[in-house]
């Protein structure tokens, strides 16, 4: 069996993390399979994939198409319209797009894959256009199709060329079903995490030093929001929740991460978030660590991991990672994130964008170390039962073997 993965970006965000883990799981289960990865942009993903695939190729998108990636990744609401107008211009743009498609088609034909697995809207579209007749095409959806109304129209148009869809949650799958109709097979495969990396034991980090704060005493409860700076990830809700806590609460917040995709307007800047912390009077309680390569070590240094997305989260890898690390997790309870936790058993939840509700959950946890420990233990257990990579490997193999063979027959 020959597999070809197509990914638009070279940065490693959630969808790319899930892709790397999926490939590693498939590789482990079927070492003899030939695995290729083709990227539309150079970046750290190429280097990280090198050890697990047979060949990584970068076929850089023409600048116009590259910008489409930024717009649609970073902000759902403005991204959809901008994204589609880029697509339309791209499609009608003549020379550069036509030559890109030609090049991509030629490269794919030379690889001659049995299965093409696309990971991101632009590659879903390009994969459908360039797919050789004998290859199966799987669209792996990591985001809501409905969040991009115009793009979804294009996907509907191209859906007869797609063999099957894999969705990262039931919620994303149901949305795709509503948008694309029920002629196409849609299968939910929940993401998984590397349980040995996201583990309660392992190296930690000095988050205070990273965040420019004086060392905290050993009783201080540490709360972290681990996310890119995309506006819908809820940084303001997090800061507002801190402003609503009783000022005597011995608690510190850490904003872990930075702006990953460079799109004007769709991400917070550090300066903006620091100003918000000052305005809310919480700056002495908040550390900004910047981008951290080892997010597992950052999580181990926390007592509480917060997920605060203000829009329904398609999946929410950080939730699964926080649980696997054995931390008390507070989840914004909407979308695919609802499928990951059982409230009060292995996580606490709050309503998206509701800073009062989040503050209540934080106050409860800050005051109750036994509750934190109980949720952390239950979270780890859930992660072991539901977010194990071998499960993803098994489910993907089942798809590849069935669809790849059927397409080749
Ligand atoms: C996208 C989604 C996120 C999910 C990730 C991996 O980034 O927005 O919710 O965790 O893909 O599937």
């Amino acid at each position: 069996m020959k597999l070809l993965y197509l990914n638009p970006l070279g940065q490693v965000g959630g969808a790319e993390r899930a892709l790397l883990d999926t490939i590693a799981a498939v590789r482990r289960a079927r070492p003899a399979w030939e695995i290729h990865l083709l990227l539309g942009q150079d970046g750290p993903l190429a280097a990280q994939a090198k050890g697990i695939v047979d060949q990584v190729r970068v076929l850089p998108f023409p600048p116009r198409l590259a910008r489409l990636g930024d717009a649609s990744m970073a902000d759902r609401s403005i991204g959809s319209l901008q994204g589609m107008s880029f697509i339309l211009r791209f499609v009608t743009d003549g020379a550069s797009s036509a030559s890109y498609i030609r090049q991509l088609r030629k490269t794919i034909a030379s690889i001659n894959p049995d299965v093409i697995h696309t990971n991101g809207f632009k590659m879903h579209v390009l994969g459908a256009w360039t797919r050789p007749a004998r290859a199966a095409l799987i669209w792996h959806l990591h985001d809501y199709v409905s969040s991009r109304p115009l793009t979804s129209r294009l996907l509907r148009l191209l859906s007869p060329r797609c063999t099957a869809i894999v969705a990262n949650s039931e919620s994303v799958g149901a949305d795709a079903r509503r948008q694309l109709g029920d002629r196409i097979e849609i299968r939910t495969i929940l993401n998984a995490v590397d349980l040995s990396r996201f583990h309660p034991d392992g190296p930690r980090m000095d988050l205070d030093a990273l965040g420019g704060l004086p060392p905290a005493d050993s009783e201080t409860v540490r709360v972290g929001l681990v996310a890119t700076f995309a506006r819908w990830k809820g940084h303001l809700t997090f800061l507002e929740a801190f402003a609503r806590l009783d000022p005597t609460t011995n608690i510190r917040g850490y904003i872990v991460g930075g702006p990953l995709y460079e799109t004007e307007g769709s991400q917070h800047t550090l300066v903006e978030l620091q100003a918000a912390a000052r305005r809310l009077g919480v700056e002495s309680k908040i550390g900004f660590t910047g981008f951290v390569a080892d997010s597992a070590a950052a999580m181990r240094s926390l007592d509480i991991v917060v997920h605060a997305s203000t829009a329904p989260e398609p999946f929410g890898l950080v939730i699964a990672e926080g649980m696997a690390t054995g931390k008390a997790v507070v989840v914004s309870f909407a979308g695919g994130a609802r499928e990951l936790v059982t409230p009060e058993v292995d996580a606490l939840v709050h309503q998206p964008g509701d800073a009062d509700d989040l503050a209540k959950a934080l106050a409860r946890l800050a005051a109750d170390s036994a509750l934190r420990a109980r949720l952390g233990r239950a979270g780890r257990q859930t992660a072991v039962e539901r977010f194990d990579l071998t499960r993803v490997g098994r489910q993907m193999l089942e798809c590849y073997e069935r669809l790849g063979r059927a397409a080749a027959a």
Side-chain angles (χ1 to χ4, degrees), residues 34-364:
E34 200 178 310
I35 302 183
H36 297 256
L37 171 64
L38 192 150
L39 306 175
Q41 182 191 42
D42 206 356
L45 179 57
Q48 291 187 37
K50 280 223 165 90
I52 51 170
V53 302
D54 294 289
Q55 193 172 32
V56 187
R57 281 193 184 78
V58 182
L59 207 58
F61 285 145
R64 185 170 280 176
L65 184 60
R67 284 201 301 276
L68 154 68
D70 290 342
S72 56
M73 278 296 297
D75 186 293
R76 289 112 184 269
S77 49
I78 64 163
S80 53
L81 283 167
Q82 286 181 349
M84 191 60 191
S85 75
F86 272 120
I87 289 187
L88 289 177
R89 265 185 278 155
F90 175 75
V91 172
T92 53
D93 182 34
S96 72
S97 54
S99 105
Y100 188 81
I101 291 173
R102 247 197 326 273
Q103 226 181 322
L104 182 63
R105 186 171 286 130
K106 216 165 105 192
T107 309
I108 295 179
S110 74
I111 295 170
N112 191 23
D114 299 297
V115 176
I116 303 174
H117 177 139
T118 58
N119 204 57
F121 284 108
K122 276 180 308 178
M123 284 305 195
H124 301 330
V125 171
L126 290 169
W129 273 335
T130 56
R131 158 201 169 176
R134 68 169 286 277
L137 173 65
I138 299 176
W139 286 346
H140 193 167
L141 297 180
H142 291 276
D143 283 292
Y144 292 108
V145 174
S146 64
S147 66
R148 299 173 178 110
L150 295 167
T151 307
S152 78
R153 225 178 290 163
L154 193 59
L155 291 185
R156 195 156 46 231
L157 220 64
L158 292 168
S159 63
R161 299 185 61 80
C162 168
T163 316
I165 287 176
V166 168
N168 61 354
S169 65
E170 294 289 346
S171 170
V172 164
D175 175 74
R177 164 84 54 238
R178 281 191 297 274
Q179 297 299 315
L180 306 177
D182 43 34
R183 269 184 322 182
I184 191 158
E185 174 185 332
I186 301 181
R187 164 133 202 232
T188 295
I189 301 185
L190 292 180
N191 289 324
V193 297
D194 182 342
L195 293 170
S196 59
R197 180 169 166 238
F198 290 93
H199 191 279
D201 304 321
R204 291 167 187 248
M205 256 174 204
D206 186 346
L207 294 176
D208 293 315
L210 279 177
L213 294 172
D217 66 59
S218 59
E219 299 300 303
T220 304
V221 174
R222 297 168 197 274
V223 187
L225 179 69
V226 185
T228 68
F229 277 10
R231 289 181 183 273
W232 65 280
K233 289 292 181 183
H235 294 80
L236 294 178
T237 311
F238 182 77
L239 294 174
E240 281 161 16
F242 265 78
R244 286 165 209 206
L245 289 171
D246 181 331
T248 62
T249 315
N250 192 2
I251 195 166
R252 260 189 192 181
Y254 302 87
I255 289 192
V256 181
L260 183 57
Y261 308 105
E262 290 171 12
T263 313
E264 257 173 70
S266 63
Q267 311 233 336
H268 291 296
T269 62
L270 177 61
V271 170
E272 202 177 291
L273 290 177
Q274 284 168 329
R278 269 196 305 280
R279 191 179 68 244
L280 291 161
V282 296
E283 75 269 34
S284 64
K285 285 181 180 284
I286 303 286
F288 292 88
T289 69
F291 172 77
V292 160
D294 188 355
S295 55
M299 286 188 186
R300 274 191 290 271
S301 319
L302 296 167
D303 299 295
I304 302 167
V305 172
V306 171
H307 163 262
S309 294
T310 53
E313 179 76 55
F315 180 88
L317 265 183
V318 79
I319 300 167
E321 290 168 353
M323 294 167 90
T325 313
K327 297 299 164 183
V329 177
V330 185
V331 175
S332 168
F333 203 50
R338 291 177 67 108
E339 298 163 35
L340 310 188
V341 300
T342 308
E344 301 293 325
V345 174
D346 51 21
L348 295 189
V349 301
H350 71 285
Q351 290 311 307
D354 187 336
D356 277 328
D357 211 18
L358 176 56
K360 269 185 220 139
L362 294 181
R364 264 180 78 192

Side-chain angles (χ1 to χ4, degrees), residues 191-193 195 382-393:
N191 289 324
V193 297
L195 293 170
T382 299
V384 169
E385 285 163 11
R386 300 187 61 211
F387 306 134
D388 186 349
L389 273 173
T390 52
R391 187 259 307 151
V392 168

